[in-house]
Amino acid sequence: MTYVRVAALGELEEDTPKRVEIEGTPVSVVRTGGEVFAIYDICSHANVSLSEGEVEDCAIECWLHGSTFDLRTGKPSGLPATRPVPVYPVKIEGDGPDASVLVSITQES
């Protein structure tokens, strides 16, 4: 897998999604509960940015219709969305606020 640096750990505010683009793919990076997650940034129901929604209990809520998606699996846990969105592996390299947050949107072949 190829990982891309998307932020320093200190740039990610707790429970505040940060939208990034990796090779043209919109990704929402979220720091919550001491972990960092990366999820496809477009709601599978309404085609709007998930990074504009709120984060609670390891889920991100679509601001338009209220669907929630699990940050670990991408599965929707509330209607009207019924299809999951992709999630991506995250690595942290280094220590402290300057640690690099790396995300991979590629799969090993």
Side-chain angles (χ1 to χ4, degrees), residues 3-14:
Y3 283 85
V4 175
R5 184 184 188 280
V6 295
L9 188 59
E11 295 172 353
L12 301 177
E13 295 180 40
E14 186 77 8

Side-chain angles (χ1 to χ4, degrees), residues 7-89:
L9 188 59
E11 295 172 353
L12 301 177
E13 295 180 40
E14 186 77 8
D15 296 330
T16 302
K18 177 182 176 77
R19 181 185 170 109
V20 299
E21 283 208 16
I22 302 172
E23 298 173 13
T25 300
V27 177
S28 183
V29 181
V30 180
R31 182 179 182 179
T32 186
E35 295 183 78
V36 178
F37 300 93
I39 188 168
Y40 186 65
D41 191 47
I42 304 299
C43 177
S44 62
H45 168 257
N47 198 31
V48 297
S49 176
L50 291 176
S51 63
E52 295 178 33
E54 296 183 11
V55 174
E56 186 175 339
D57 296 330
C58 209
I60 191 166
E61 180 181 39
C62 176
W63 62 270
L64 187 59
H65 295 118
S67 292
T68 57
F69 297 88
D70 189 303
L71 290 169
R72 297 167 292 230
T73 66
K75 292 181 180 176
S77 55
L79 294 173
T82 58
R83 294 184 324 253
V85 293
V87 294
Y88 306 107

